[in-house]
Amino acid sequence: MSEASYDNPLNFHDLDEALINFDEIQEQLNYQQAQESLRNLVNHLDLTAQEQTGLERELNNLTEMLEKLEHSLVQIAAFGMVGRGKSSVLNALLGEDIFKTGPLHGVTQAIDTASWTLKPDDNIQGLQTVALSGWGQSQIELIDTPGIDEVDGETREILAHQMAKQVDLILFVISGDMTKVEFEALSQLREAGKPIILAFNKIDQYPETDRLAIYQKIRDDRVKELLSPDEIVMIAASPLVTEISQDNQGNIKQQKRRGKAQVEALKLKILEILHREGKSLVALNTMLYADEVNEQIVARKLEIREKAANQLIHKATMTKAMAIALNPVTVVDLLTGAVVDVAMILALSRLYGIPMTQQGAIALLQKIGVSMGGISATEFLTSLGLSSLKGMLGLVIPTTAGLSLLPYLSIAMTQGSVAGVSCYAIGQVTKRYLANGAAWGPEGPKTVVKRILLSLDKTSILNRIKWELGAKLKRVKN
């Protein structure tokens, strides 16, 4: 090692500071990336006006998620059974009575929210405001939820668990040894993958020995597999203090009043998590929830488009069947069928928002036709064999006083129905191809087409087309 190396020893303090700065830069980049991804998602949903109907709540949730990122909003929700003091805990954190409290069950009937900033007079270890590292002034929103065990609690529990997916930090409030209902609810909330603080409230109601025994039972037995000891705090959000006084006659009186809230440990634990995980926590939680909402939107969009696509395919199927049934010329039959198939493919491509030219539609039809094999060949042979016979019967109908009308209709329905089945199959294959982003996937077109054809009840489809076609043909001839 050279002398220069000894003259300039490595400064570990500078290295630590550089690593901290690097982490902050990386955190900021991740946060900005989350913002950009969500903004692109909101601005490029590719939904028609019809598809947006019924998705208002999901779309509104995505917009709220974007606003949450834009304003660096941290959401903290309190969960627990009725009477455990959820609302009192949040009021204690706020330093004022914002959330309703009372002796009756079910005071919190819906989800309530309030903003929280630590006031200067809180002065917990020098922390006077909630300002996360690198954030500037962030916003913290406290959310109160209904009791998980209330009457008609199933609906409210679903609502609470929906909130658990959306929020960034969960406060689970208990006021004694954990019950089976509380354990099950905590287990379900744990699955949301969010940071959880278990707040053992109302410790003022227990002698110190009992309080510690309950705490140890919860820590070492009840939640050992769910939470670490570091995630459990003991608090008294609205403690009762006994005051003794003496009146003028010398009588001793006892009076209970509300004392100062003891939630400092909870405040510190919240701030510790927020300072430690900061923007990464909010960005990750927001994107996870946004991804779930997006999946719901995509599923609904595909459901709506599938329904519209099926209606379009049915209309094209009957149009093709009717056109071929009424047309006695073989060459025109085949040409008409191809025109309807191409028009259907183009209409489906517009429905799924995938641009396609007429040449592209013809190429896709050819590829599907080759992959379909049997059905396409059957359609061709049927058109070739029955068109001539149908044409001759059509010519002799006037000379036979209408006696040849019945066999004519029978042949026309058979020919049209076979063509209709072919059109229906082409439509279903095209629909799958477009729904998959104009791609066949790793299996290739032949495998995809074969699987779809095997899933079709061709006899049922043929009979349905025949019945509808027969009714239309009779109306035309009459």
Side-chain angles (χ1 to χ4, degrees):
M1 186 176 290
S2 65
E3 291 185 6
S5 298
Y6 288 106
D7 292 338
N8 297 282
L10 182 63
N11 189 324
F12 287 102
H13 175 74
D14 292 344
L15 179 59
D16 289 341
E17 190 171 315
L19 289 174
I20 291 173
N21 290 336
F22 176 79
D23 288 341
E24 289 180 355
I25 293 172
Q26 187 63 49
E27 183 181 53
Q28 182 66 25
L29 289 174
N30 291 339
Y31 193 81
Q32 290 176 351
Q33 184 178 10
Q35 280 182 301
E36 189 63 28
S37 298
L38 189 54
R39 193 178 294 114
N40 287 335
L41 176 61
V42 171
N43 294 334
H44 302 90
L45 285 172
D46 184 29
L47 290 172
T48 65
Q50 180 187 4
E51 290 167 348
Q52 290 182 30
T53 303
L55 291 175
E56 291 83 3
R57 184 174 66 85
E58 288 81 359
L59 295 174
N60 184 59
N61 284 344
L62 275 185
T63 303
E64 288 180 356
M65 289 294 98
L66 180 57
E67 291 177 355
K68 178 178 177 179
L69 282 179
E70 300 283 4
H71 297 94
S72 302
L73 176 64
V74 181
Q75 293 179 312
I76 303 174
F79 294 89
M81 293 177 64
V82 171
R84 297 323 192 236
K86 301 186 309 299
S87 301
S88 296
V89 170
L90 297 181
N91 285 336
L93 292 174
L94 287 166
E96 53 186 311
D97 293 337
I98 299 295
F99 297 100
K100 293 180 181 179
T101 60
L104 300 178
H105 278 199
V107 171
T108 304
Q109 298 295 319
I111 289 178
D112 295 326
T113 64
S115 297
W116 176 40
T117 56
L118 288 181
K119 298 179 180 179
D121 57 357
D122 286 327
N123 197 25
I124 303 173
Q125 294 187 2
L127 294 172
Q128 296 182 336
T129 60
V130 178
L132 304 187
S133 176
W135 284 51
Q137 291 298 322
S138 303
Q139 299 179 43
I140 295 182
E141 187 175 72
L142 302 181
I143 303 172
D144 194 10
T145 63
I148 58 177
D149 59 330
E150 289 187 82
V151 178
D152 192 26
E154 184 177 355
T155 302
R156 294 182 184 127
E157 187 176 341
I158 292 173
L159 185 60
H161 291 174
Q162 181 67 21
M163 288 299 303
K165 295 176 183 179
Q166 184 174 346
V167 301
D168 306 294
L169 175 62
I170 295 171
L171 303 181
F172 196 92
V173 182
I174 59 175
S175 59
D177 195 8
M178 180 168 284
T179 67
K180 181 180 179 181
V181 173
E182 287 173 324
F183 177 80
E184 291 174 350
L186 181 61
S187 299
Q188 291 171 341
L189 291 171
R190 177 87 281 181
E191 293 175 2
K194 305 298 177 66
I196 296 178
I197 299 175
L198 181 63
F200 176 11
N201 189 27
K202 302 186 179 181
I203 58 172
D204 58 297
Q205 298 181 10
Y206 298 94
E208 185 174 356
T209 303
D210 294 346
R211 175 197 315 166
L212 291 175
I214 295 172
Y215 169 78
Q216 291 170 358
K217 184 70 174 176
I218 294 170
R219 180 193 65 190
D220 301 333
D221 185 14
R222 306 297 190 216
V223 300
K224 184 178 180 180
E225 303 300 324
L226 297 176
L227 301 174
S228 68
D230 195 45
E231 295 172 297
I232 307 171
V233 296
M234 293 195 292
I235 60 172
S238 185
L240 289 174
V241 177
T242 302
E243 288 185 339
I244 299 176
S245 61
Q246 188 174 19
D247 60 18
N248 296 333
Q249 285 74 35
N251 297 319
I252 302 298
K253 292 185 178 181
Q254 289 188 354
Q255 187 176 2
K256 291 187 179 293
R257 64 172 180 83
R258 295 292 176 186
K260 184 178 180 181
Q262 301 169 21
V263 292
E264 288 78 10
L266 178 58
K267 287 183 179 180
L268 283 173
K269 184 59 62 178
I270 292 172
L271 293 176
E272 176 190 328
I273 292 174
L274 296 183
H275 277 277
R276 182 179 70 238
E277 303 190 34
K279 283 189 170 182
S280 298
L281 176 67
V282 176
L284 176 61
N285 288 340
T286 302
M287 291 308 297
L288 285 174
Y289 182 73
D291 185 59
E292 181 177 321
V293 173
N294 183 53
E295 286 182 4
Q296 295 174 6
I297 290 175
V298 170
R300 181 62 189 278
K301 180 167 66 174
L302 290 177
E303 178 186 344
I304 292 172
R305 288 185 178 179
E306 170 129 355
K307 183 178 180 181
N310 286 336
Q311 292 173 345
L312 195 156
I313 291 169
H314 177 74
K315 184 177 180 180
T317 296
M318 295 313 303
T319 299
K320 181 176 178 179
M322 190 72 177
I324 289 181
L326 291 175
N327 191 10
V329 182
T330 304
V331 175
V332 177
D333 272 353
L334 296 174
L335 180 60
T336 301
V339 169
V340 173
D341 290 337
V342 169
M344 176 181 64
I345 291 174
L346 289 172
L348 287 171
S349 70
R350 289 191 295 271
L351 177 64
Y352 281 92
I354 297 176
M356 186 178 293
T357 62
Q358 185 173 348
Q359 289 74 18
I362 293 172
L364 179 59
L365 177 61
Q366 290 173 339
K367 181 171 288 188
I368 294 174
V370 171
S371 301
M372 284 174 62
I375 287 186
S376 296
T378 301
E379 179 188 2
F380 177 76
L381 293 174
T382 301
S383 294
L384 191 64
L386 295 180
S387 285
S388 299
L389 182 57
K390 184 179 63 175
M392 288 188 295
L393 289 172
L395 292 174
V396 299
I397 286 175
T399 62
T400 60
L403 293 177
S404 60
L405 177 60
L406 188 60
Y408 175 90
L409 290 177
S410 178
I411 293 172
M413 282 193 295
T414 300
Q415 186 186 20
S417 298
V418 171
V421 171
S422 172
C423 183
Y424 182 86
I426 291 170
Q428 293 298 323
V429 172
T430 303
K431 181 181 71 175
R432 178 75 60 85
Y433 171 77
L434 294 171
N436 196 42
W440 297 107
E443 296 176 322
K446 288 187 178 180
T447 304
V448 172
V449 171
K450 183 179 179 181
R451 181 176 292 112
I452 293 175
L453 293 181
L454 289 174
S455 69
L456 298 179
D457 186 351
K458 289 183 274 293
T459 302
S460 175
I461 296 169
L462 185 68
N463 290 335
R464 188 168 69 247
I465 294 173
K466 271 190 174 183
W467 180 85
E468 190 172 339
L469 185 58
K472 291 184 177 182
L473 284 175
K474 288 176 182 177
R475 285 198 298 269
V476 170
K477 293 301 178 183
N478 290 336

